[in-house]
Amino acid sequence: MARVAIVTGGTRGIGEAISLALKEHGVTVAANYAGNEEKANAFTERTGIASYKWDVGDFDACAAGVAQVEAELGPVDIVVNNAGITRDGTILKMSRDMWEDVIRVNLGGCFNMAHATFPGMRSRKWGRIVNIGSINGQAGQYGQVNYAAAKSGIHGFTKALSQEGARAGVTVNAIAPGYIDTDMVAAVPPEVLEKIVAKIPVGRLGQASEIARGVVFLCSEEGGFVTGSTLSINGGQHMY
């Protein structure tokens, strides 16, 4: 019987690439999304991957969403916490809401999804949780104290939770992407993007598929001896 995975933020960008890669490796995937229903429906039509709408920053919504997925697809073996938002600004211009929104979704979403799925994984003696961090959680970034704090928190969360699952066959790891060629990065002004790429030793942006391949390995049987780790996929931009 195929493993069942939930990929949060799984219908666009890096999340879409992860959903597709897991499906190609025989996993039954549920792609979570929060906002654009039209794009999510188009994703499902194009890929055959079921999409489910809920806000990962909402504790009760995560519990209900996981219950629905399990009722329709089976017990959840794999969770990829990819959903994230930005509310950028220097601290002088950052409101409390901008801070709390990013922490609630980016870091709180990891807790909410793990809380809803971890007990089942432990009881079945097999599970994989992969949390998508960021190079900016490792190195920091001007104008992103909220985002950097949330992503840095993900790395600590990963190390702590991995210790709770290790003897029960549940691994917990993180991936810290660098600058990836997604719609979000494409929206950066060309002159700014040129400066970003100039700082990447391999001389290019990453591809979403390169992040997805890392996720597939960490979620596989072969990845079972890797836990509590952060895999940096950033073209050598930050070595941590």
Side-chain angles (χ1 to χ4, degrees), residues 59-138:
F59 181 85
D60 292 333
C62 287
V66 169
Q68 182 184 358
V69 170
E70 293 195 324
E72 296 178 9
L73 303 180
V76 173
D77 305 297
I78 297 166
V79 172
V80 182
N81 286 308
N82 168 73
I85 62 171
T86 56
R87 300 287 186 269
D88 294 351
T90 63
I91 199 163
L92 296 177
K93 296 179 180 177
M94 185 174 291
S95 68
R96 182 73 189 190
D97 284 346
M98 291 166 70
W99 168 267
E100 290 185 350
D101 285 349
V102 170
I103 299 296
R104 182 183 71 85
V105 172
N106 296 15
L107 182 56
C110 292
F111 170 79
N112 295 340
M113 288 300 300
H115 195 276
T117 57
F118 194 71
M121 293 178 185
R122 277 178 56 93
S123 68
R124 294 187 299 274
K125 304 296 182 186
W126 199 97
R128 301 285 187 264
I129 296 175
V130 179
N131 303 310
I132 305 300
S134 171
I135 187 175
N136 292 344
Q138 297 172 316

Side-chain angles (χ1 to χ4, degrees), residues 40-54:
N41 290 339
F43 163 84
T44 295
E45 209 170 293
R46 186 175 71 255
T47 65
I49 296 171
S51 54
Y52 295 81
K53 185 176 183 178
W54 73 81

